Amino acid sequence: MALDLVHDLQRAYRKTVDSMSRPGLITNIKAQADKVDLEIGCFKSTVVLVQMLFDTEVTFKVVSKREAEITKLLNQLTYAKAAEAQTADFILVLRDAGPFGLEKALIAACPGDLTDPHKSSTIIVEADALSNERDLALAGPGIDAESHIKVQTTGNWVGLRAEKNSEYPLGIEIIFTDSDHNLLCIPRTTQIVKQVVG
Amino acid sequence: MKINYNFAFFDEGSKREIRRATLKAIAIPGYQVPFASREMPIARGWGTGGLQLTLSLIGKEDVLKVIDQGSDESVNAVNIKKLVKATTGITITGITTEATIIQSRHRIPETPLKEGQILVLQVPLPEPLRYYEPSEYETKKLHAEKEYSGAWLMLFEQIMNYGHMSTGADHPVMVHDRYVMAPSPIPRFDNPKMNCAKALILLGAGREKKIYAVPPYTRVRSLDFEDFLFEAESFQGKSCRQCGATGVYLDEILDDATGKTFYQCNDTGFCMQRLNGKPC
């Protein structure tokens, strides 16, 4: 059955809202992702997110070894326009982006400005795996006491993200997804502390 | 002629734009995100902001409750319920605990909200600084610089003039220690319910084209002074004449014939549940 652009995207959106409003809450959009019948070169959950959020008003940047090809396909699918990472509304860091893909995206991403902090990038990252293991501790709005996550991906994203978000309300949002179609959102208000095991 | 409307009235492009704005609003608690407010089949200023949020959120599995100043059955609530029901076919309820989405005009239900619920508040005037600064450009600058002395001065002047803070409703709040926010014209009684609420609170202003949000477990503090604290309306010694509830927001009703004053729950759904002996 093909992806229902009304009801499936609504369900995926509500899961995203849940994850964005409760950082650390991992939701799953496998039911929707399994219906995606397009081969674009990224996770099917990424395609669901793209179809949920992208249209002609959106600019995006793909960080991948197959950047040109995937950019063209996403443009054809959504009519969203390609842009440089410094100005793009969304940056897609795909799984084949290489070890420094996410780091470069974080450095380049636009954090908005003080009058319009909403004009900032959202980075969609394809991680190897997402879980609630005690690796990183999260605190901030949406979190009752403390929440824990483990994100298997490359690069020093925690430090670079903290630097990018150091002047709140400026900052960026990160949406992680993985091959099991889990979703994890980290808004700019979330503080991440590396859990020390000992 | 029978028109087949889209599911949830909107075209998917409109939902997408509202959804993008909503996600940014959740990420920046209390900050007013501009959005391209659509024409709705009800007049602007009558809940179109809340309605647009509800329509962008709602799915076939949702259960919706709509309240208009505490009442499930007044004109604004009934019209909005009819529109959503006609374009989605979803279940409508009057019971707060059953609802997944609660759209409300000017009240937060008495029954505590729970995790997973979404409260959508209709907002006529989203800008808490508008009272003393008419320019949108200037208020955006004031928010950018966290320059809120005018908001405190406004309250100070009220204390000087009337001996108390005279904000009957819409008493400004500080969200996550960064943005001063209009909580919509909820009574002061409801302001503390926003602080660290378990539910996500979304606020929509259709006429003013703004969406903003308070995520769960977010610090929301009503503006006040160290030596003049915020006070909610007090209903000390009063109870609902129908269900006997105390410690809830009560309507004062004057009987013209006898000249007597009665008090009654403002939240009709809550009162009805109590009268029916059901858990609230």
Side-chain angles (χ1 to χ4, degrees):
Chain A
M1 201 163 58
L3 183 75
D4 186 321
L5 293 178
V6 178
H7 300 293
D8 284 327
L9 292 185
Q10 181 273 335
R11 287 187 191 106
Y13 170 63
R14 284 292 286 280
K15 299 265 174 79
T16 315
V17 166
D18 281 348
S19 284
M20 189 63 88
S21 56
R22 293 179 174 78
L25 174 72
I26 297 174
T27 51
N28 189 280
I29 55 168
K30 187 176 187 314
Q32 291 76 46
D34 282 348
K35 293 182 185 172
V36 173
D37 52 7
L38 300 163
E39 282 303 330
I40 290 186
C42 50
F43 290 161
K44 292 193 170 173
S45 45
T46 308
V47 178
V48 173
L49 289 173
V50 161
Q51 292 204 286
M52 185 178 90
L53 296 167
F54 284 21
D55 61 19
T56 51
E57 294 171 18
V58 165
T59 56
F60 70 99
K61 165 81 176 170
V62 175
V63 182
S64 161
K65 283 180 185 145
R66 298 164 59 201
E67 180 186 337
E69 182 192 341
I70 293 170
T71 301
K72 189 179 171 197
L73 287 169
L74 292 181
N75 169 256
Q76 287 174 339
L77 181 67
T78 64
Y79 301 106
K81 294 178 281 294
E84 286 308 310
Q86 288 79 358
T87 55
D89 299 321
F90 291 89
I91 302 176
L92 303 173
V93 181
L94 305 186
R95 205 174 178 186
D96 66 354
F100 304 110
L102 178 53
E103 293 188 2
K104 282 182 188 162
L106 279 165
I107 292 165
C110 170
D113 60 49
L114 282 170
T115 39
D116 291 309
H118 66 286
K119 289 184 179 170
S120 56
S121 282
T122 300
I123 306 182
I124 297 173
V125 185
E126 293 187 346
D128 294 332
L130 302 170
S131 71
N132 283 114
E133 284 172 51
R134 297 175 76 92
D135 180 38
L136 301 172
L138 309 183
I143 300 162
D144 186 18
E146 209 175 59
S147 166
H148 296 93
I149 55 163
K150 182 169 186 179
V151 179
Q152 286 182 25
T153 188
T154 52
N156 171 32
W157 67 274
V158 176
L160 286 169
R161 175 195 169 272
E163 205 172 303
K164 183 63 84 175
N165 291 348
S166 58
E167 288 184 55
Y168 181 77
L170 307 188
I172 49 135
E173 277 63 59
I174 303 180
I175 302 176
F176 287 105
T177 181
D178 68 8
S179 54
D180 293 329
H181 311 301
N182 290 315
L183 276 189
L184 169 70
C185 299
I186 314 274
R188 67 192 71 184
T189 47
T190 304
Q191 285 116 50
I192 305 181
V193 182
K194 183 88 181 158
Q195 198 82 350
V196 181
V197 184
Chain B
M1 189 176 75
K2 183 161 173 56
I3 302 170
N4 284 321
Y5 287 106
N6 293 330
F7 181 83
F9 188 72
F10 279 136
D11 59 288
E12 291 308 299
S14 297
K15 285 182 196 166
R16 215 173 276 127
E17 198 261 343
I18 297 166
R19 287 169 180 173
R20 284 197 301 266
T22 307
L23 289 175
K24 280 293 174 196
I26 295 168
I28 319 170
Y31 170 73
Q32 301 164 51
V33 180
F35 81 112
S37 181
R38 267 69 186 172
E39 288 288 341
M40 299 302 292
I42 58 172
R44 282 188 170 160
W46 289 87
T48 54
L51 183 59
Q52 290 178 75
L53 278 170
T54 299
L55 293 173
S56 74
L57 289 162
I58 210 151
K60 286 194 279 192
E61 295 87 9
D62 275 310
V63 179
L64 177 71
K65 174 180 166 78
V66 184
I67 329 165
D68 171 10
Q69 272 190 312
S71 172
D72 286 274
E73 301 300 338
S74 67
V75 175
N76 194 230
V78 170
N79 282 336
I80 289 171
K81 279 192 276 195
K82 278 185 178 170
L83 175 71
V84 179
K85 172 96 180 160
T87 59
T88 61
I90 56 135
T91 309
I92 304 283
T93 185
I95 301 165
T96 303
T97 49
E98 282 181 0
T100 53
I101 300 176
I102 301 161
Q103 180 173 333
S104 174
R105 173 176 175 265
H106 307 182
R107 271 316 304 278
I108 296 177
E110 299 295 352
T111 307
L113 300 174
K114 51 186 186 183
E115 278 198 9
Q117 286 184 316
I118 301 177
L119 174 68
V120 175
L121 288 170
Q122 303 171 196
V123 187
L125 297 168
E127 182 48 73
L129 316 181
R130 186 67 70 235
Y131 175 76
Y132 61 89
E133 178 48 68
S135 159
E136 173 71 10
Y137 180 71
E138 290 299 325
T139 52
K140 271 187 88 70
K141 268 203 313 201
L142 293 172
H143 283 294
E145 292 164 4
K146 204 182 173 188
E147 171 44 62
Y148 292 131
S149 42
W152 268 281
L153 193 60
M154 181 181 77
L155 296 175
F156 177 75
E157 284 179 351
Q158 289 174 1
I159 295 167
M160 288 295 104
N161 286 332
Y162 309 113
H164 60 92
M165 290 189 257
S166 61
T167 50
D170 214 354
H171 186 96
V173 293
M174 176 70 87
V175 181
H176 187 47
D177 296 323
R178 178 58 182 84
Y179 283 104
V180 166
M181 182 189 93
S184 85
I186 54 173
R188 278 177 287 151
F189 186 86
D190 285 345
N191 274 23
K193 294 180 191 170
M194 279 192 160
N195 184 34
C196 293
K198 287 184 177 173
L200 167 66
I201 303 172
L202 297 174
L203 301 101
R207 185 182 51 196
E208 305 288 325
K209 303 185 171 102
K210 294 285 173 61
I211 287 172
Y212 50 110
V214 179
Y217 308 112
T218 300
R219 191 169 145 81
V220 177
R221 194 165 41 87
S222 300
L223 294 194
D224 62 359
F225 300 94
E226 275 175 21
D227 55 349
F228 207 103
L229 298 176
F230 168 81
E231 271 182 18
E233 295 87 347
S234 170
F235 298 98
Q236 194 83 36
K238 300 178 180 88
S239 60
C240 172
R241 69 164 168 173
Q242 289 184 321
C243 72
T246 54
V248 296
Y249 192 78
L250 297 169
D251 283 335
E252 189 182 71
I253 299 161
L254 185 70
D255 187 328
D256 285 336
T258 62
K260 278 189 177 172
T261 303
F262 297 102
Y263 291 90
Q264 188 171 307
C265 286
N266 172 265
D267 184 340
T268 58
F270 173 82
C271 195
M272 195 67 83
Q273 282 289 95
R274 280 176 58 87
L275 287 173
N276 290 335
K278 303 256 174 71
C280 301

